Amino acid sequence: MSGILVLEQLLNGLGYGLMLFLLAAGLTLVFGIMDVLNLAHGSLFMSGAYVAAEAHTRTGSFTAAIVIAVAVTVVVALLLEVLLMRRLYTRDHLAQVLATFGVILVADDIVKMTWGPSPVMAPTPAALSGPINLVDGLPYPAYRLVILAGGLLVALALYLLVNHTRIGMRVRAGASDRPMAELMGVRVGRIFNGVFLLGAALAALAGALMGPIVAVQVGMGEAILIPALVVLVIGGIGSVRGAFVAALLVGVVDTIGRAFVPMLLRATLPPATAADLGPLFAEVAMYALMVVVLIFRPSGLFSARS
Amino acid sequence: MKSSSRYIGLGLLFVLLAAFPLVAPLLGLDFYIGFVRRVLVVALAAASLNFILGFGGMVALGHAGFIGMGAYTVVALSDAGVMSAWVMWPLAALVAGGVAALIGTVALRTRGVYFIMTTLAFAQMLYFVVVSLRRYGGDDGYTLMSRPTLLPGIDLGNESNFYWVVLVVVALALWWLQRATQSRFGHALMGIRDNETRMRALGYPVFRLQLVAFTIAGAIAGLAGALLAGGNGFVSPATMHWTQSATLLVMVVIGGLGRSWGGPVGAIVWLLLEEFLKQHTEHWHMPLGLLLIAVALWAPKGLAALYKRRLPLTPALSPEGRGSKA
């Protein structure tokens, strides 16, 4: 196994982890502050991917596609917040799971009605479709580098916003002790509205960026939701830093499970057994990581409320 | 008086269900014999989830995993040439119960959303385990050779015969579950749901009681999985997908959390609606989704709560319950 291959796979894992972070950041803030478990977060991701694919085909501009996707999804999220989420704040998690699972069903059907049941093509921007030689012998797809850079940039911006601004301070206060924050004069409800929309924008951005490298199809929101929830739980609920660390961890562990473990199995086990076990480790690695973390830290790595 | 009229009602329901395969052909409803059988089995699965969710306050989001364990036990036995229902069904319950006990040992250490996610994670792992079992069809699923055998002379390949056997098994299991919730054990379980700290202070072995309940629910879900597999003659990993666990959860809440008929009522309503909507529109998810939102907003105690009886009601999930506010 060459060093270059390892590097390439690690970059892939990092990219995936950063996209998971974009999803998990919104999810964990909403959950941390308002204690609302929003299963429909994946549907916002799907909305971002579909709108971006559509806008890209129509306008021919990738930048415009991303802006439109984020704008449309934020409007959708605003509607969702006003019509539904508001009524769920004071309810137990079960009611929230139920209602937002209902939203998933509705969202999937709306997408199916609009774009049909088969996957939609999300073109890779022409200027970024080629590979770039990172080091000698490692041509890496330029588009994946953009995802990496974009993810890192957003993560940095979010870190600065949450940890070094007045608004961020209020957000953190709301996440770690809501009643106390309210007593101190923080309007947590209003902060939450902003965070919910910000979370939607991040989910849409992730969807728009991921569109060209995954299948844009009905159900893509549910497929990414579970890894995002895993990140949230590993990181500890309400902690953006935790989400960031956990997202990178999950991205890398997932890649190790997908790329290196099957390789190791092929080298050590009979081919048939290796072919059977390989995919299993690939899929299970992330969940195993979560279970192990929870055994030692039952409320995640950096729980905001511990 | 009250309880005797209740037994008459249940007896009547049983007779009506038992008569269905005889009446259906006359009405041209043969197709629905299989459908009603499936509803019965799913009702049992939902009741087993309600046992830990409604009575135990444990929001488990991995119940489809146990159903799948039961179904794949049947697959493994069938693949090995064992077709006797007397072996298949108890073993399916045993395997699923065993797996549930192991999972419960880890999951019950966590609380709230962490519990929801741990149960989900384990169910996902089970899902990917069966996907990787290529001997049993992997992703494509496994077609069973034939229906299980029960006694010489009873041909379970006959749709009506199989229906009656399922009806009896489901009725017995539901009755037993009902008894369990009314036993000392069931009351201790509800006590833990309502106030874990107090029950601990009173000296109840909270963890052990919860683990036993979790195991029982897993075993009964496994039995349901075995019945489902035997009836459909086909098992695929799709049975164990997390959305199936979520759907079961939905059924229980729609029916009524912690109400003796909550699980079955929810399963019946959900499956009937699904069947009806599928026949009328390709976009049948949306109405179901809207119904869910409506139930969550306006009927959080479920449909079974709309029918009020004067027997003591079990309270809804308390704030201290597992999986409610963390």
Side-chain angles (χ1 to χ4, degrees), chain B residues 72-84 87-88 91 135-136 142 144-145:
Chain B
Y72 272 90
T73 307
V74 165
V75 166
L77 287 171
S78 162
D79 196 65
V82 180
M83 291 308 296
S84 165
V87 179
M88 277 181 160
L91 212 58
R135 183 185 168 90
Y136 302 140
Y142 185 92
L144 296 165
M145 310 286 181

Side-chain angles (χ1 to χ4, degrees), chain A residues 138-267:
Chain A
L138 174 56
Y140 198 71
Y143 184 69
R144 281 184 180 264
L145 283 179
V146 170
I147 286 191
L148 267 173
L152 275 176
L153 219 63
V154 174
L156 183 70
L158 202 61
Y159 170 78
L160 292 176
L161 177 74
V162 171
N163 287 299
H164 294 279
T165 64
R166 192 166 282 273
I167 292 175
M169 194 173 68
R170 296 199 173 121
V171 168
R172 277 178 292 137
S176 55
D177 190 341
R178 185 173 175 201
M180 182 57 79
E182 275 175 338
L183 282 175
M184 304 294 277
V186 177
R187 280 192 271 188
V188 176
R190 185 167 296 180
I191 293 267
F192 168 77
N193 294 341
V195 166
F196 188 77
L197 296 184
L198 179 67
L202 292 177
L205 180 65
L209 286 175
M210 288 284 271
I213 52 174
V214 298
V216 177
Q217 59 188 351
V218 174
M220 67 187 293
E222 289 95 280
I224 194 103
L225 171 73
I226 301 294
L229 283 171
V230 166
V231 164
L232 177 116
V233 163
I234 290 179
I237 286 160
S239 162
V240 177
R241 184 171 50 141
F244 185 71
V245 173
L248 294 189
L249 210 59
V250 166
V252 171
V253 164
D254 189 70
T255 307
I256 291 173
R258 262 169 228 290
F260 300 139
V261 171
M263 222 181 283
L264 203 71
L265 290 174
R266 273 198 296 277

Side-chain angles (χ1 to χ4, degrees), chain A residues 44-138:
Chain A
L44 299 171
F45 171 82
M46 175 171 74
S47 149
Y50 267 96
V51 174
E54 178 82 26
H56 194 177
T57 331
R58 288 205 183 180
T59 63
S61 157
F62 184 59
T63 324
I66 289 189
V67 172
I68 293 172
V70 170
V72 169
T73 307
V74 167
V75 172
V76 170
L78 189 65
L79 280 176
L80 188 64
E81 208 273 339
V82 171
L83 292 179
L84 180 67
M85 299 311 282
R86 249 169 222 198
R87 295 162 207 258
L88 294 174
Y89 294 167
T90 52
R91 309 293 290 278
D92 60 20
H93 289 148
L94 204 55
Q96 294 162 0
V97 166
L98 205 66
T100 53
F101 188 71
V103 173
I104 292 182
L105 294 178
V106 174
D108 280 355
D109 252 7
I110 290 177
V111 167
K112 219 185 282 177
M113 283 173 187
T114 320
W115 282 283
S118 31
V120 166
M121 265 301 292
T124 312
L128 301 169
S129 55
I132 286 180
N133 262 322
L134 275 185
V135 286
D136 255 350
L138 174 56

Side-chain angles (χ1 to χ4, degrees), chain A residues 16 20-21 23-25 27-28 31 36-42 97 100 104 221-237 243 246 250 286-287 290 294, chain B residues 61 113-114 116-118 120-121 242:
Chain A
Y16 178 55
L20 281 181
F21 171 68
L23 280 167
L27 210 52
T28 200
F31 193 66
V36 175
L37 190 51
N38 176 20
L39 290 190
H41 200 66
V97 166
T100 53
I104 292 182
E222 289 95 280
I224 194 103
L225 171 73
I226 301 294
L229 283 171
V230 166
V231 164
L232 177 116
V233 163
I234 290 179
I237 286 160
V250 166
M286 171 178 76
Y287 300 106
M290 178 170 106
L294 287 184
Chain B
L61 190 51
V113 175
Y114 295 100
I116 300 183
M117 289 303 295
T118 319
L120 174 67
W242 76 270

Side-chain angles (χ1 to χ4, degrees), chain B residues 141-230:
Chain B
Y142 185 92
T143 306
L144 296 165
M145 310 286 181
S146 63
R147 287 270 168 87
T149 55
L150 194 66
L151 288 171
I154 300 181
D155 174 23
L156 290 189
N158 177 314
E159 199 55 63
S160 304
N161 284 349
F162 193 77
Y163 173 98
W164 281 316
V165 171
V166 167
L167 177 63
V168 170
V169 173
V170 168
L172 284 176
L174 282 178
W175 171 76
W176 186 80
L177 259 184
Q178 172 67 16
R179 289 289 306 263
T181 55
Q182 285 166 357
S183 67
R184 269 168 50 90
F185 171 75
H187 283 280
L189 201 62
M190 287 183 255
I192 295 170
R193 171 196 66 191
D194 293 338
N195 194 334
E196 194 175 319
T197 318
R198 182 176 300 165
M199 292 302 279
R200 193 160 304 188
L202 287 170
Y204 283 87
V206 168
F207 176 81
R208 208 184 322 149
L209 289 172
Q210 287 184 321
L211 187 60
V212 169
F214 198 76
T215 307
I216 289 175
I220 292 181
L223 176 65
L227 294 176
L228 220 49

